[in-house]
Amino acid sequence: MARLIFLGPPGAGKGTQAEKLAVDYSIPKISTGDMLRAEVRAETHLGLEAKSYMDAGDLVPDHILVAMVKGQLEDKTIGWILDGFPRTIPQAQALESLLVELHQACDCVINLDVPDDAIVERLLKRQRKDDTEELIRHRLDVYRKQTQPLIEYYQERGYLNKVDGNRSEETIHTELKDLIETVSHTNGSV
Ligand code: AMP
Protein backbone atom coordinates (compact mmCIF):
# COMPACT_ATOMS: atom_id res chain seq x y z
CA MET A 1 0.00 0.00 0.00
CA ALA A 2 1.24 3.47 -0.74
CA ARG A 3 -0.17 6.98 -0.73
CA LEU A 4 1.64 9.27 -3.10
CA ILE A 5 1.32 12.79 -4.44
CA PHE A 6 2.89 13.82 -7.74
CA LEU A 7 4.00 17.40 -8.30
CA GLY A 8 5.64 18.78 -11.40
CA PRO A 9 4.94 21.07 -14.34
CA PRO A 10 2.42 20.09 -17.04
CA GLY A 11 4.11 17.61 -19.37
CA ALA A 12 6.67 16.46 -16.78
CA GLY A 13 5.44 12.89 -17.16
CA LYS A 14 3.44 12.70 -13.91
CA GLY A 15 0.54 10.88 -15.54
CA THR A 16 2.76 8.28 -17.23
CA GLN A 17 4.76 7.54 -14.09
CA ALA A 18 1.68 7.58 -11.85
CA GLU A 19 0.02 5.05 -14.16
CA LYS A 20 2.98 2.65 -14.02
CA LEU A 21 3.14 2.84 -10.21
CA ALA A 22 -0.61 2.33 -9.95
CA VAL A 23 -0.13 -0.97 -11.82
CA ASP A 24 2.96 -1.97 -9.77
CA TYR A 25 1.19 -1.46 -6.44
CA SER A 26 -2.40 -2.22 -7.56
CA ILE A 27 -3.66 1.09 -6.26
CA PRO A 28 -5.86 3.64 -8.02
CA LYS A 29 -4.43 6.68 -9.78
CA ILE A 30 -6.58 9.70 -9.13
CA SER A 31 -6.00 12.22 -11.91
CA THR A 32 -7.96 15.44 -11.46
CA GLY A 33 -7.23 16.45 -15.09
CA ASP A 34 -8.76 13.17 -16.37
CA MET A 35 -11.74 13.55 -14.03
CA LEU A 36 -12.37 17.10 -15.20
CA ARG A 37 -12.07 16.13 -18.86
CA ALA A 38 -14.64 13.37 -18.28
CA GLU A 39 -16.99 15.93 -16.70
CA VAL A 40 -16.52 18.23 -19.69
CA ARG A 41 -17.22 15.39 -22.16
CA ALA A 42 -20.35 14.40 -20.25
CA GLU A 43 -21.43 18.07 -20.23
CA THR A 44 -22.26 17.98 -16.53
CA HIS A 45 -22.87 21.16 -14.59
CA LEU A 46 -19.38 20.83 -13.07
CA GLY A 47 -17.87 20.18 -16.50
CA LEU A 48 -19.48 23.26 -17.98
CA GLU A 49 -18.15 25.37 -15.13
CA ALA A 50 -14.64 23.92 -15.40
CA LYS A 51 -14.32 24.11 -19.20
CA SER A 52 -13.66 27.82 -19.58
CA TYR A 53 -10.81 27.68 -17.06
CA MET A 54 -9.30 24.61 -18.68
CA ASP A 55 -9.52 26.06 -22.19
CA ALA A 56 -7.74 29.19 -20.98
CA GLY A 57 -4.97 27.14 -19.31
CA ASP A 58 -6.02 28.43 -15.88
CA LEU A 59 -6.72 26.46 -12.74
CA VAL A 60 -10.29 25.41 -11.95
CA PRO A 61 -11.46 26.94 -8.61
CA ASP A 62 -10.26 25.17 -5.46
CA HIS A 63 -13.72 24.34 -4.02
CA ILE A 64 -14.58 22.25 -7.10
CA LEU A 65 -11.34 20.28 -6.90
CA VAL A 66 -11.53 19.71 -3.16
CA ALA A 67 -15.08 18.34 -3.39
CA MET A 68 -14.07 16.09 -6.31
CA VAL A 69 -11.03 14.64 -4.54
CA LYS A 70 -12.88 14.19 -1.27
CA GLY A 71 -15.36 11.90 -2.99
CA GLN A 72 -12.48 9.86 -4.40
CA LEU A 73 -10.42 9.39 -1.22
CA GLU A 74 -13.26 8.44 1.08
CA ASP A 75 -13.35 4.77 0.09
CA LYS A 76 -9.70 4.33 -0.92
CA THR A 77 -8.30 2.52 2.07
CA ILE A 78 -5.88 0.50 -0.08
CA GLY A 79 -3.82 3.55 -1.05
CA TRP A 80 -3.77 6.00 -3.94
CA ILE A 81 -1.68 8.11 -6.26
CA LEU A 82 -2.73 11.71 -6.70
CA ASP A 83 -1.80 13.05 -10.13
CA GLY A 84 -2.45 16.77 -10.63
CA PHE A 85 -3.76 17.51 -7.13
CA PRO A 86 -3.04 19.54 -5.06
CA ARG A 87 -2.05 22.43 -7.30
CA THR A 88 -2.46 25.34 -4.86
CA ILE A 89 -1.67 25.94 -1.19
CA PRO A 90 -5.40 26.04 -0.24
CA GLN A 91 -5.85 22.66 -1.98
CA ALA A 92 -2.89 21.24 -0.03
CA GLN A 93 -4.34 22.55 3.24
CA ALA A 94 -7.75 21.09 2.42
CA LEU A 95 -6.11 17.75 1.59
CA GLU A 96 -4.23 17.78 4.89
CA SER A 97 -7.48 18.24 6.87
CA LEU A 98 -9.26 15.65 4.75
CA LEU A 99 -6.56 13.04 5.39
CA VAL A 100 -6.73 13.65 9.13
CA GLU A 101 -10.51 13.24 8.95
CA LEU A 102 -10.13 9.97 6.99
CA HIS A 103 -7.32 8.64 9.24
CA GLN A 104 -5.01 8.42 6.25
CA ALA A 105 -1.48 9.76 5.77
CA CYS A 106 0.52 10.56 2.67
CA ASP A 107 3.78 8.54 2.37
CA CYS A 108 5.63 10.90 0.09
CA VAL A 109 5.39 13.74 -2.38
CA ILE A 110 7.33 13.32 -5.61
CA ASN A 111 8.41 16.40 -7.48
CA LEU A 112 9.21 15.49 -11.10
CA ASP A 113 11.58 18.20 -12.15
CA VAL A 114 11.91 19.13 -15.87
CA PRO A 115 13.30 22.40 -17.34
CA ASP A 116 10.86 24.73 -19.14
CA ASP A 117 12.31 24.34 -22.64
CA ALA A 118 12.12 20.53 -22.45
CA ILE A 119 8.48 20.85 -21.31
CA VAL A 120 7.49 23.10 -24.20
CA GLU A 121 9.13 20.72 -26.66
CA ARG A 122 7.37 17.68 -25.15
CA LEU A 123 3.97 19.33 -25.04
CA LEU A 124 4.21 20.59 -28.61
CA LYS A 125 4.93 17.00 -29.69
CA ARG A 126 1.90 15.77 -27.71
CA GLN A 127 -0.29 18.15 -29.72
CA ARG A 128 -3.47 18.23 -27.71
CA LYS A 129 -5.96 20.77 -28.99
CA ASP A 130 -5.08 23.11 -26.11
CA ASP A 131 -1.32 22.79 -26.66
CA THR A 132 -0.37 25.90 -28.65
CA GLU A 133 2.99 27.31 -27.57
CA GLU A 134 1.36 30.42 -26.10
CA LEU A 135 -1.03 28.34 -23.99
CA ILE A 136 1.76 26.01 -22.90
CA ARG A 137 3.83 28.98 -21.71
CA HIS A 138 0.77 30.30 -19.87
CA ARG A 139 0.16 26.97 -18.14
CA LEU A 140 3.83 26.90 -17.11
CA ASP A 141 3.46 30.39 -15.73
CA VAL A 142 0.37 29.33 -13.76
CA TYR A 143 2.37 26.35 -12.49
CA ARG A 144 5.29 28.53 -11.34
CA LYS A 145 3.02 31.03 -9.59
CA GLN A 146 0.34 28.80 -8.05
CA THR A 147 1.76 25.28 -7.78
CA GLN A 148 5.49 25.72 -7.27
CA PRO A 149 5.00 27.09 -3.72
CA LEU A 150 3.84 23.57 -2.80
CA ILE A 151 7.42 22.35 -3.19
CA GLU A 152 8.47 24.42 -0.20
CA TYR A 153 5.22 23.57 1.63
CA TYR A 154 5.93 19.83 1.43
CA GLN A 155 9.67 20.26 1.96
CA GLU A 156 9.01 21.99 5.28
CA ARG A 157 6.80 19.06 6.30
CA GLY A 158 9.47 16.51 5.35
CA TYR A 159 7.51 14.83 2.54
CA LEU A 160 9.29 16.11 -0.55
CA ASN A 161 11.40 13.95 -2.86
CA LYS A 162 12.87 15.59 -5.93
CA VAL A 163 13.31 13.33 -8.97
CA ASP A 164 14.99 14.37 -12.23
CA GLY A 165 12.20 13.98 -14.82
CA ASN A 166 14.43 14.73 -17.79
CA ARG A 167 15.53 11.10 -18.30
CA SER A 168 14.08 7.98 -19.90
CA GLU A 169 10.69 6.75 -18.65
CA GLU A 170 12.26 3.47 -17.50
CA THR A 171 15.08 5.12 -15.54
CA ILE A 172 12.61 7.37 -13.73
CA HIS A 173 10.24 4.47 -13.06
CA THR A 174 13.03 2.40 -11.47
CA GLU A 175 14.14 5.30 -9.29
CA LEU A 176 10.56 5.93 -8.17
CA LYS A 177 10.04 2.30 -7.20
CA ASP A 178 13.24 2.35 -5.11
CA LEU A 179 12.14 5.57 -3.47
CA ILE A 180 8.67 4.25 -2.64
CA GLU A 181 10.03 1.00 -1.22
CA THR A 182 12.29 3.05 1.05
CA VAL A 183 9.64 5.48 2.32
CA SER A 184 6.95 2.81 2.68
CA HIS A 185 9.23 0.62 4.79
CA THR A 186 10.22 3.60 6.90
CA ASN A 187 6.55 4.46 7.45
CA GLY A 188 5.60 0.83 7.98
CA SER A 189 2.96 0.98 5.24
CA VAL A 190 4.19 -1.93 3.10
P1 AMP B 1 -3.86 18.15 -16.30
O1 AMP B 1 -4.31 17.09 -17.24
O2 AMP B 1 -3.50 17.63 -14.93
O3 AMP B 1 -2.77 19.03 -16.86
O4 AMP B 1 -5.14 19.11 -16.05
C1 AMP B 1 -5.79 19.76 -17.12
C2 AMP B 1 -6.48 21.01 -16.61
O5 AMP B 1 -7.45 20.67 -15.61
C3 AMP B 1 -5.57 22.03 -15.92
O6 AMP B 1 -4.93 22.88 -16.87
C4 AMP B 1 -6.55 22.77 -15.04
O7 AMP B 1 -7.33 23.69 -15.79
C5 AMP B 1 -7.49 21.66 -14.59
N1 AMP B 1 -7.02 21.04 -13.32
C6 AMP B 1 -6.57 19.76 -13.13
N2 AMP B 1 -6.24 19.55 -11.85
C7 AMP B 1 -6.46 20.73 -11.21
C8 AMP B 1 -6.30 21.17 -9.85
N3 AMP B 1 -5.82 20.36 -8.90
N4 AMP B 1 -6.65 22.44 -9.56
C9 AMP B 1 -7.16 23.27 -10.49
N5 AMP B 1 -7.32 22.93 -11.78
C10 AMP B 1 -6.98 21.67 -12.14
Side-chain angles (χ1 to χ4, degrees):
M1 130 126 91
R3 296 190 180 101
L4 313 169
I5 294 174
F6 267 93
L7 292 181
K14 299 187 294 293
T16 308
Q17 294 296 336
E19 188 64 54
K20 284 175 187 279
L21 296 173
V23 172
D24 292 338
Y25 297 102
S26 306
I27 51 176
K29 175 184 91 142
I30 301 170
S31 159
T32 47
D34 286 350
M35 288 166 70
L36 286 167
R37 279 184 287 276
E39 298 279 349
V40 171
R41 272 195 307 273
E43 298 183 354
T44 62
H45 181 70
L46 193 156
L48 293 177
E49 191 177 345
K51 188 176 187 310
S52 55
Y53 296 98
M54 295 169 77
D55 285 348
D58 289 320
L59 295 184
V60 174
D62 289 335
H63 70 273
I64 296 185
L65 269 297
V66 172
M68 240 171 56
V69 170
K70 183 169 185 191
Q72 289 291 312
L73 293 186
E74 268 161 355
D75 60 347
K76 301 287 189 307
T77 48
I78 55 166
W80 37 257
I81 303 178
L82 278 174
D83 161 29
F85 182 94
R87 260 178 158 102
T88 64
I89 296 277
Q91 288 181 18
Q93 290 167 335
L95 177 63
E96 209 167 299
S97 316
L98 178 63
L99 292 179
V100 171
E101 197 184 301
L102 297 175
H103 306 290
Q104 297 184 16
C106 163
D107 291 307
C108 84
V109 177
I110 295 155
N111 178 38
L112 266 188
D113 203 29
V114 181
D116 278 12
D117 286 342
I119 291 284
V120 174
E121 198 180 308
R122 282 188 198 188
L123 288 179
L124 282 173
K125 271 197 206 132
R126 195 166 86 182
Q127 275 186 326
R128 233 160 50 186
K129 144 181 158 295
D130 58 348
D131 288 344
T132 62
E133 181 156 358
E134 196 190 344
L135 209 52
I136 289 167
R137 298 253 176 221
H138 177 66
R139 282 161 64 203
L140 272 176
D141 210 37
V142 167
Y143 173 78
R144 301 282 174 228
K145 288 200 182 102
Q146 295 183 259
T147 308
Q148 196 145 285
L150 291 181
I151 293 174
E152 205 182 313
Y153 178 93
Y154 283 119
Q155 200 152 29
E156 282 169 359
R157 283 159 179 75
Y159 285 115
L160 195 80
N161 291 277
K162 189 172 149 183
V163 172
D164 177 1
N166 207 16
R167 297 172 299 167
S168 77
E169 266 178 38
E170 257 332 290
T171 307
I172 299 169
H173 180 212
T174 306
E175 183 170 324
L176 288 175
K177 276 199 299 194
D178 289 346
L179 172 68
I180 291 159
E181 296 296 325
T182 309
V183 293
S184 303
H185 282 293
T186 311
N187 297 349
S189 56
V190 158

